[in-house]
């Protein structure tokens, strides 16, 4: 009798830490899984092909900006306060979207020229971030938040806070074409994922970037100078923002005020929930893509079961808090 | 192996190296010569110049004078790149690794293998595994994550990273076993011996004399910025000789006379342990006593002090303060129970540098000089002036910001704060690090006065002679445990250093009859 209870207590003692670890590392995923399961039961339309494809299409811009965020987090380290983060990416993406739309519709420019300017605009935002973070030495969370507000202000002045509709045939083609039955923006997402994956996970550059983010001193003693890598990560984020603009213009048939707001919340949620997909429990490109798909599925599902739009944003905010808190708790246990 | 001067050409020859920092001559004509295929030990007390000469070799500092020959060719402009090309590799003391990278990625960090832009992951894994196994004798999975490895395995990965690009002729190991538990050291030793058998010379810097004796063929001893001797054919007798060379100085008039009668026990610990830095620590401090904690970096000394101060969780054992059991969650808890810490980094942890001297002194006693939450300016001024007088803080300008005072006077300011707070137990962590010799004597004097007024003091320090000079009793920590307790006047400095550095000779030295006379001498020197 007494041995039996002691055995039970011992098992509980070994089971508890395991349970705790699983909850901390994979908890956010379990939460999402439960939510998606509920949605598929609550709405018959949720698992329909039309809804899945539309969710994937909506996931595209979220995923692409998340790749940019993943690069910054990798190079700056995953500490939520002192580590790397770039909150200005959605604003840069919105700026690039406005530039493309304005060029195509109002200035009569060609697609190539419009996109060249958009990439330039997004890169300027990235370069300002580099200046503030690596030269001035501000924490990235503070400087990119200020940069976000600044760029949003610039967009408002630039567009007169009005919608710009695009009817350029190339953009309409990207919006409507469905090679192999899959919408074009989804292909753009896959292509971007492949490119970013190769760059960040399969190149020497990517490994060095991870070394810099993981332990700057370790990188330095291995002959890697941290600053150029951190700087590069912010420029990569700028490129991601410009690519995301392609999906954004196609999705909205132009540029409309406020697209940056939801993108910001979705990007942060997708990137950090995506860490739970990786064996090492770090932010990765494939994780960010899967995270973006989860976020899009969830947003669509909640609309399908007629949850008021006003609730959805707050709900996502709570999810971010849970995800980030779980990561922080885990880091605390590691030290 | 001893070699005559007609033997092989040294891998590294540094002669007449000078290096001055503001106020200190860190190196003064230092010499260091390493032969091919030997493991060469470098020992010396803190501040002897070991790390300075290593940093000069690594290209971190520039030498003021002296010549450096690597493999016979002189180096005028020494850059880290030039040294690397000549086959010198460094294994740093800290574990410079990224927890979420794999073994293969860590080994190739900074010199990744890639083909047309893409990493050759399989090739890196294969080579990393082969290198670890063949050259260092460690069978590791190249895909394992660093955070899942033990600390010896991590150290070996770090060694592999330093050596994997081949061409290594000389490897500098800086305290490689400091973060390791005793059972894991053998694996690192085996790797070093393997490297020697493969013809690579090793420079092995360590505080642990026992390790030096076991592993090294020759050893160079540094003191006061220069080499004071070199030993070959090391055996158990070499210990005393190394220590004699390391110490070679007298304890001066630095330390105050002490004559307090110990009173009641104010701090009692039994079986204290944390997450692994220290365990089974028993200790007792009485009113009027100064108890020392000796131990090299990594011995658990710092962690013990942090735990007692409420900065680190105690996981096992029992702690009593002034007769009552204490469970400390924060320094504020500790202060409530009458215990305060004078931290090692006074500028960052001890003072609010922008605030005035008076405000810093009064910080812990605000409730006594305030009424209904408002600070009484006069009472505050009075208390600050009293403490500044008592501790002879100079200049005696209570309104001056703390950052404008010298290190010694800043330390006195922290001390004044706790004197004003009238604590029962005061912990000191490296009380005189970075202060000049005059201020040192004064700080020791104040510490003795605090003890006389009835507080119990616990002092942790890297400086063994300081502990020997001021403490009634010294607890020696080695690898997280108490390795011995010595009473004032019972041992000589060399015996204490032997104990601190985990030397096998320590047991003989402490308490052996022939040291009774030496101890009496130390007593004389104190006066």
């Amino acid at each position: 009798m007494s041995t039996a209870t002691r055995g039970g207590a011992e098992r509980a003692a070994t089971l508890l830490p395991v349970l705790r670890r699983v909850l901390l590392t994979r908890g956010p995923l379990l939460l999402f899984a439960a939510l998606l399961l509920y949605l598929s039961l609550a709405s018959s339309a949720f698992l329909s092909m039309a809804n899945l494809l539309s969710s994937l299409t909506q996931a595209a811009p979220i995923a692409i900006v998340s790749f940019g965020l993943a690069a910054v987090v990798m190079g700056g380290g995953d500490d939520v306060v002192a580590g790397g983060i770039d909150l200005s990416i959605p604003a840069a993406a919105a700026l690039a979207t406005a530039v493309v739309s304005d060029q195509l519709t109002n200035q009569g420019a060609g697609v190539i020229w419009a996109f060249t300017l958009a990439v330039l605009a997004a890169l300027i935002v990235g370069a300002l971030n580099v200046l503030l973070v690596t030269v001035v030495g501000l924490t990235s969370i503070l400087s990119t938040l200020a940069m976000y507000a600044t760029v949003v202000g610039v967009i408002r002045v630039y567009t007169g806070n009005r919608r710009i509709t695009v009817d350029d045939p190339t953009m309409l083609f990207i919006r409507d074409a469905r090679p192999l039955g899959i919408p074009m923006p989804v292909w753009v997402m896959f292509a971007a994922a492949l490119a970013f994956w190769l760059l960040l996970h399969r190149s020497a550059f990517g490994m060095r970037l991870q070394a810099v983010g993981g332990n700057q001193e370790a990188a330095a003693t291995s002959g890697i100078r941290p600053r150029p890598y951190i700087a590069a990560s912010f420029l990569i984020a700028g490129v991601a923002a410009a690519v995301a603009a392609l999906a954004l213009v196609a999705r909205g048939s132009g540029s409309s005020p406020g697209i940056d707001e939801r993108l910001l919340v979705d990007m942060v949620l997708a990137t950090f929930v995506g860490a739970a997909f990786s064996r090492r429990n770090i932010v990765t490109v494939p994780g960010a893509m899967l995270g973006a798909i989860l976020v899009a599925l969830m947003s669509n599902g909640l609309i399908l079961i007629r949850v008021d739009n006003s609730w959805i944003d707050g709900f996502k905010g709570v999810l971010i808090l849970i995800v980030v808190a779980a990561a922080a708790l885990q880091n605390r246990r590691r030290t | 192996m001893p070699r005559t001067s007609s033997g092989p050409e040294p891998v590294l020859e540094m002669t007449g190296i000078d290096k001055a920092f503001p106020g200190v001559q860190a190196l003064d004509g230092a010499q260091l010569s390493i032969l091919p295929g030997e493991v060469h030990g470098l020992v010396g007390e803190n501040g002897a110049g070991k790390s300075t000469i290593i940093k000069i070799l690594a290209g971190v500092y520039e030498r003021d004078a002296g010549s450096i020959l690597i493999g016979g060719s002189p180096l005028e402009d020494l850059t880290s790149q030039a040294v690397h090309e000549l086959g010198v590799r460094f294994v740093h003391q800290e574990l410079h690794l990224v927890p979420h990278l794999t073994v293969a990625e860590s080994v190739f960090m900074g010199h990744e293998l890639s083909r047309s832009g893409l990493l050759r992951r399989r090739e890196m894994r294969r080579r990393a595994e082969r290198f670890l196994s063949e050259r260092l004798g460690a069978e590791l999975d190249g895909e394992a994550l660093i955070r899942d490895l033990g600390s010896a395995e991590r150290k070996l990965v770090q060694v592999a990273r330093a050596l994997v690009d081949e061409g290594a002729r000389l490897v500098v190991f800086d305290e490689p076993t400091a973060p390791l538990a005793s059972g894991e050291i053998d694996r690192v030793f085996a790797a070093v011996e393997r490297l020697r058998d493969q013809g690579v010379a090793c420079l092995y810097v360590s505080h642990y004399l026992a390790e030096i004796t076991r592993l090294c063929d020759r050893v160079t001893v540094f003191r006061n910025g220069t080499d004071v001797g070199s030993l070959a054919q090391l055996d158990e007798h070499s210990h005393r000789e190394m220590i004699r060379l390391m110490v070679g100085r007298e304890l001066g008039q630095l330390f105050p006379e002490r004559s307090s009668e110990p009173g009641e026990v104010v701090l009692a610990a039994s079986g204290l342990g944390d997450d692994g830095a220290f365990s089974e620590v028993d200790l007792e401090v009485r009113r009027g006593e100064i108890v020392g904690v000796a131990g090299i970096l990594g011995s658990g000394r710092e962690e013990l002090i942090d735990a007692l101060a409420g900065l680190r969780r105690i996981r096992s054992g029992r702690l009593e303060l002034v007769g009552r059991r204490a469970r400390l969650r924060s320094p504020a808890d500790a202060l409530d129970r009458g215990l305060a810490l004078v931290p090692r980094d006074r500028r960052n942890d001890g003072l609010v540098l922008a605030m005035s001297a008076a405000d810093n002194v009064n910080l812990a006693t605000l409730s006594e000089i305030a009424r209904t939450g408002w600070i009484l300016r006069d009472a505050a001024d009075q208390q600050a002036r009293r403490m500044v007088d008592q501790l002879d803080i100079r200049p005696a300008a209570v309104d001056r910001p703390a950052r404008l005072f010298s290190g010694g006077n800043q330390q006195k300011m922290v001390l004044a704060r706790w004197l004003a707070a009238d604590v029962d137990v005061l912990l000191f962590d490296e009380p005189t690090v970075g202060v000049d010799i005059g201020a040192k004597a004064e700080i020791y004097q104040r510490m003795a006065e605090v003890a006389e007024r009835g507080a119990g003091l616990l002092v942790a320090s890297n400086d063994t002679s300081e502990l020997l000079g001021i403490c009634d009793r010294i607890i020696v920590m080695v690898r997280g445990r108490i390795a011995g307790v010595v009473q004032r006047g019972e041992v000589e400095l060399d015996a204490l250093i032997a104990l601190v550095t985990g030397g096998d000779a320590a047991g003989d030295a402490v308490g052996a009859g022939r040291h009774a006379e030496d101890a009496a001498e130390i007593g004389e020197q104190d006066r």
Side-chain angles (χ1 to χ4, degrees):
Chain A
M1 169 76 192
S2 69
T3 47
T5 45
R6 204 183 306 143
E10 263 169 31
R11 215 172 308 130
T14 53
L15 208 64
L16 216 65
V18 172
L19 192 71
R20 226 173 114 173
R21 207 189 61 221
V22 168
L23 271 183
L24 284 181
T25 54
R26 310 291 170 225
L29 275 194
L30 296 175
L31 200 69
F32 263 92
L35 190 66
L36 295 185
L37 186 70
Y38 169 75
L39 289 172
S40 53
L41 293 176
S43 160
S44 55
F46 184 70
L47 285 178
S48 72
M49 196 43 109
N51 181 55
L52 292 182
L53 286 179
S54 123
S55 298
L56 278 178
T57 309
Q58 287 179 32
I62 303 172
I64 298 166
V65 289
S66 298
F67 301 155
L69 181 57
V72 175
V73 173
M74 268 179 205
D78 57 3
D79 185 296
V80 183
V81 180
I85 196 161
D86 187 350
L87 299 177
S88 70
I89 305 172
L95 177 65
T97 306
V99 169
V100 169
S101 307
D102 176 57
Q103 286 295 321
L104 290 178
T105 302
N106 303 336
Q107 318 294 335
V111 174
I112 303 282
W113 177 239
F115 264 97
T116 309
L117 286 180
V119 170
L120 272 177
L123 278 178
I124 288 171
V125 176
L128 288 173
N129 284 329
V130 171
L131 191 73
L132 292 171
V133 173
T134 68
V135 181
V136 181
L138 296 177
T139 57
S140 56
I141 191 159
L142 202 62
S143 57
T144 60
L145 179 66
M147 185 58 63
Y148 174 88
T150 310
V151 174
V152 167
V154 170
I155 300 169
R156 289 209 182 124
V157 173
Y158 175 52
T159 62
N161 213 14
R162 271 190 299 272
R163 180 178 159 73
I164 306 171
T165 308
V166 169
D167 49 12
D168 178 85
T170 316
M171 295 319 294
L172 296 183
F173 171 76
I174 292 174
R175 186 188 69 186
D176 300 328
R178 295 183 154 227
L180 304 178
I182 293 174
M184 204 60 187
V186 181
W187 288 111
V188 173
M189 170 172 82
F190 288 155
L194 182 66
F196 278 89
W197 179 75
L198 288 173
L199 178 66
L200 296 178
H201 297 294
R202 285 295 178 270
S203 77
F205 166 83
M207 235 188 81
R208 290 172 176 210
L209 187 66
Q210 287 198 40
V212 168
N215 184 340
Q216 279 212 13
E217 280 194 327
T221 54
S222 307
I224 303 166
R225 287 193 303 137
R227 262 217 241 170
Y229 287 87
I230 294 173
S233 73
F234 281 102
L235 295 178
I236 290 170
V239 172
V243 177
L246 190 64
L248 285 170
V249 174
R251 187 182 75 183
S253 307
S255 146
S256 16
I259 47 174
D260 48 86
E261 278 172 41
R262 187 151 295 164
L263 199 54
L264 176 63
V265 178
D266 288 350
M267 169 188 79
V268 172
L269 185 52
T271 310
F272 288 101
V273 87
F277 285 110
S278 99
R279 167 172 80 117
R280 313 178 185 198
N281 219 43
I282 52 170
V283 165
T284 62
V285 169
M289 185 171 78
L290 292 174
I293 293 172
L294 281 187
V295 171
L297 278 173
M298 183 189 75
S299 310
N300 264 0
L302 290 174
I303 292 166
L304 279 178
I305 62 167
R306 302 214 160 73
V307 174
D308 188 335
N309 233 335
S310 326
W311 281 92
I312 295 180
D313 283 337
F315 184 70
K316 284 180 187 163
V318 172
L319 279 179
I320 292 180
L321 288 177
I322 293 173
V323 168
V324 182
L329 283 175
Q330 205 188 322
N331 278 336
R332 231 175 49 182
R333 285 173 56 80
R334 231 186 270 156
T335 50
Chain B
M1 301 294 116
R3 283 173 181 87
T4 52
S5 54
S6 60
E9 191 176 26
V11 184
L12 171 72
E13 187 145 42
M14 301 176 84
T15 38
I17 307 291
D18 287 353
K19 177 70 193 175
F21 294 109
V24 207
Q25 186 72 33
L27 287 177
D28 189 2
Q31 179 170 338
L32 185 62
S33 165
I34 296 161
L35 299 171
E38 73 167 347
V39 179
H40 192 109
L42 178 57
V43 298
E45 285 212 280
N46 291 300
K50 288 173 308 194
S51 48
T52 310
I53 202 163
I54 300 275
K55 282 183 174 156
I56 284 175
L57 180 61
V60 178
Y61 297 150
E62 212 174 306
R63 64 188 187 272
D64 297 339
S67 80
I68 299 174
L69 279 79
I70 296 178
S73 54
L75 274 177
E76 284 312 319
D77 286 326
L78 193 154
T79 63
S80 55
Q81 210 178 347
V83 174
H84 188 268
E85 273 163 21
L86 287 167
V88 183
R89 304 286 183 270
F90 295 86
V91 176
H92 297 275
Q93 181 176 355
E94 301 82 10
L95 280 170
H96 283 316
L97 294 168
V98 180
H100 60 250
L101 292 186
T102 66
V103 168
E105 287 168 343
S106 306
V107 168
F108 282 97
M109 183 189 289
H111 34 253
E112 301 80 2
L113 306 175
S114 50
R115 183 184 291 147
S116 55
L118 291 186
L119 288 174
R120 301 169 63 190
R121 297 177 54 82
R122 222 168 284 147
E123 178 68 11
M124 292 201 306
R125 178 182 180 181
R126 202 179 57 79
R127 281 209 214 170
E129 284 173 355
R130 203 180 60 195
F131 190 92
L132 280 159
S133 146
E134 284 176 10
R135 301 291 303 274
L136 305 177
E139 303 298 331
L140 290 180
D141 178 2
E143 283 294 291
L145 296 182
I146 295 296
R147 66 163 172 246
D148 297 331
L149 300 184
S151 44
E153 289 167 335
R154 292 183 194 200
K155 198 78 211 179
L156 292 175
V157 169
Q158 205 180 342
V159 176
R161 175 163 76 210
L163 299 179
V164 75
D165 63 346
E166 299 297 345
R169 276 204 279 188
L170 169 66
V171 188
V172 179
F173 289 92
D174 190 5
E175 297 279 355
T177 61
L180 304 185
S182 50
E184 298 182 307
I185 293 171
D186 291 345
R187 298 190 66 181
V188 174
F189 276 22
V192 174
E193 279 163 356
R194 233 178 149 99
L195 286 172
R196 169 180 49 196
D197 295 343
Q198 293 159 8
V200 179
C202 298
L203 177 60
Y204 194 94
V205 186
S206 179
H207 274 109
Y208 290 105
L209 300 185
E211 289 184 1
I212 298 276
T213 317
R214 209 181 119 189
L215 194 61
C216 298
D217 303 309
R218 291 199 303 152
V219 60
T220 298
V221 184
F222 266 40
R223 189 209 316 148
N224 292 339
T226 191
D227 55 304
V228 289
S230 175
L231 303 174
Q233 272 180 327
L234 306 176
D235 54 29
E236 54 274 26
H237 302 297
S238 317
H239 258 229
R240 276 191 70 80
E241 183 62 11
M242 276 192 266
I243 291 169
R244 191 188 64 76
L245 289 167
M246 277 164 68
V247 177
R249 67 179 142 92
E250 291 182 17
L251 299 177
Q253 299 286 333
L254 212 48
F255 302 105
E257 204 170 324
R258 304 266 329 282
S259 62
S260 47
E261 279 292 303
E264 60 164 334
V265 176
V266 282
L267 183 154
S270 57
L272 231 50
D274 73 341
D275 280 337
F278 63 87
S279 58
E280 288 162 46
V281 170
D282 299 332
L283 67 94
E284 200 181 83
V285 182
R286 294 168 177 274
R287 286 197 194 280
E289 263 188 337
I290 303 182
V291 177
V293 183
I296 60 167
L297 279 173
S299 63
R301 181 194 75 211
E302 295 175 35
E303 290 85 354
L304 174 66
I305 292 296
D306 284 353
L308 290 174
L311 288 164
R312 195 183 164 90
R313 273 290 269 284
I314 294 172
R315 300 283 176 188
S316 57
R318 186 183 169 88
L319 175 65
E320 280 181 17
L321 293 174
V322 207
R324 284 199 302 136
R325 174 146 204 196
R327 288 193 179 81
L328 308 176
R329 274 177 206 84
S330 68
D333 278 359
L335 194 53
D336 281 346
R337 305 294 303 272
L339 179 148
L341 168 72
V342 180
R344 63 187 150 257
D345 185 356
R346 57 189 159 266
R347 294 184 70 88
N348 286 319
D349 300 340
L351 292 170
V352 186
L353 289 172
M355 281 182 9
S356 71
D359 289 343
N360 270 295
V361 169
N362 290 332
L363 210 54
T365 41
L366 290 177
S367 58
E368 284 155 40
I369 51 169
R371 192 160 299 146
T372 63
W374 300 96
I375 292 172
L376 304 174
R377 244 12 284 187
D378 288 350
D381 257 25
Q382 238 170 34
Q383 168 164 298
R385 277 180 210 288
R386 204 177 67 234
M387 297 319 300
V388 164
D389 276 357
Q390 219 174 81
L391 288 172
D392 196 20
I393 294 175
R394 283 179 220 175
V398 292
D399 294 328
R400 230 166 116 100
R403 72 186 150 81
L404 297 180
F405 288 80
S406 72
N409 281 298
Q410 287 178 340
Q411 189 69 312
K412 286 194 266 179
M413 224 176 274
V414 180
L415 200 50
R417 177 194 307 156
W418 302 130
L419 280 187
D422 210 11
V423 293
D424 301 304
V425 187
L426 252 181
L427 309 182
F428 289 84
D429 195 1
E430 301 284 0
T432 61
V433 79
V435 306
D436 64 59
I437 193 114
K440 263 188 192 177
E442 219 175 328
I443 288 172
Y444 296 141
Q445 183 63 42
R446 304 303 160 208
M447 287 167 72
E449 284 169 20
V450 177
E452 233 145 85
R453 286 172 42 171
L457 271 58
L458 187 68
V459 184
S461 176
N462 227 337
D463 183 348
T464 14
S465 58
E466 164 175 296
L467 292 178
L468 213 51
I470 187 138
C471 297
D472 299 303
R473 197 156 16 95
I474 300 168
I475 289 154
V476 178
M477 296 192 69
V478 175
R479 298 196 186 282
R481 285 161 192 272
I482 292 185
V485 180
V486 300
Q487 301 293 330
R488 180 185 180 81
E490 194 184 87
V491 294
E492 211 185 334
L493 184 55
D494 60 355
L496 182 59
I497 292 179
L499 198 54
V500 168
T501 53
D504 303 318
D508 314 337
V510 177
R514 57 168 197 258
H515 283 291
E517 292 160 35
D518 304 345
E521 269 169 42
I522 284 219
E524 287 300 310
Q525 282 168 357
D526 280 3
R527 258 137 251 168

